[in-house]
Amino acid sequence: MKKYTHEYITRDRIRIGMWRFSTSMCNDRDFKNMVDCGIDTIITGDATKNRATRETTLSLADKYGVETFIIDKHLNYEKPWTQEQIDAFDPEAMIATYKHHPSFTGCFFNDEPGTDAFPWMSAIMNKFEEKTGYTSLINMLPMYANAAQFKFGANAAKIEYYDSDPNLFTKYCDSYCDHFTSRVLSTDIYPFSWGQYGEKNTYKDYIESINKAAEVARRRERDFWCCIQTYGWNYSKRTPNEAEYRWQCYSVLSFGCNGILLWNYNGSPEFPSLVHIYTNEPTDAYYAIQPVLWEMQNLSDVFVQYKNLGAFTHNYSEKVPYLRMSNEYKDFDVLTEIKSDEPLLFGCFEKKQGKGKAFTIVNMTEFRDDLPATVKFKTKAKKVTLYRKAEPTVLTPNRGVYTIDLTCGEGVFVTLD
């Protein structure tokens, strides 16, 4: 069996992560199922607060080459730490019994804190990074959180606190970057719900919420990670199908996301996620997302050669409110002409080393309409390579015009040389 090194596990790639790993999955069968689904990174839950299950988890992660961010029982955030506690915190001692595992790459500290907690929380996380060299993670609130939550944390949803500043989310993300040294800015965005009459609905500010977080990450030189909607956790939310999983992945890729996270792998009996909560047997959602995650895995080596410049829309209208975005990228002049009757999202990229550009195209038509899109474009590039489902095809123009057809929810990556 292949022996995975720490260098291999932490290589530059599109990370496919699972948030909240349970103790019931600490066995070969369930680890293999997880890896077979395309997941190569886990952020553990309570499983790793116990030394025995932590050792089992990390040993299995070593075996299967799964990058692991653990939650340690010493990282208790039920109330703020005092300066005395911060001074006494010894991160090197905390990780001493498990840092030898090649799969261990950092610790997860907190989920959706408010800015009031940033000063003392960052003192702990930054100390952890400085003393150990490992990555510290927190997950940020989404743009649709309210002002009280941005200040006091996720549990403050019902507190009467108001701030009408339209840039509140951007300032929240910037404040995070001001305080924390972590290389990652991570948030979650869950766009899919059911309407009053059983119709499919999409969060109206979906693209703008990705755009706002990604803009801060790009400007502050952080990796942008995003937790996508994995399943419907109540009767008003819906579990995505394959096309909707793919649409989410290419939407966040269009803004340079290199960490796609899947929230709550186990779900609940009434609302199963990728595996059943009691048996850990794969569900319909598992088989729907599996080809999409492997598409991300297979695209990864090409995708990470490019850095994101921003994104722009085509044919935005009130019929597709979720496509609205501010500060669209205007300087992607390598595309000289674009024609399409359908709404589209374009992500813009340039080579990290050497010359070359690339872009994503995502069909942004309503899922309830299930409509295809045809895109025609001209480019200054001499060679155009289409990556559809991560499979490369060199395109041939017809009188200088390239044509790409997209099914509903489909996204593609195109390189220009």
Side-chain angles (χ1 to χ4, degrees), residues 306 332-336 347 349-351 355-359 377-387 395 402 404 413-417:
Y306 296 82
F332 203 64
D333 57 3
V334 69
L335 291 181
T336 58
F349 299 81
E350 67 178 9
K351 269 278 183 75
K355 296 181 179 180
K357 299 288 181 71
F359 62 95
F377 64 92
K378 293 181 179 180
T379 177
K380 299 175 182 178
K382 295 180 180 179
K383 182 181 179 183
V384 178
T385 305
L386 168 68
Y387 288 82
L395 298 184
Y402 295 88
I404 297 175
F413 189 64
V414 182
T415 60
L416 303 172
D417 298 294

Side-chain angles (χ1 to χ4, degrees), residues 1 253 293:
M1 178 171 286
L253 287 187
L293 298 188

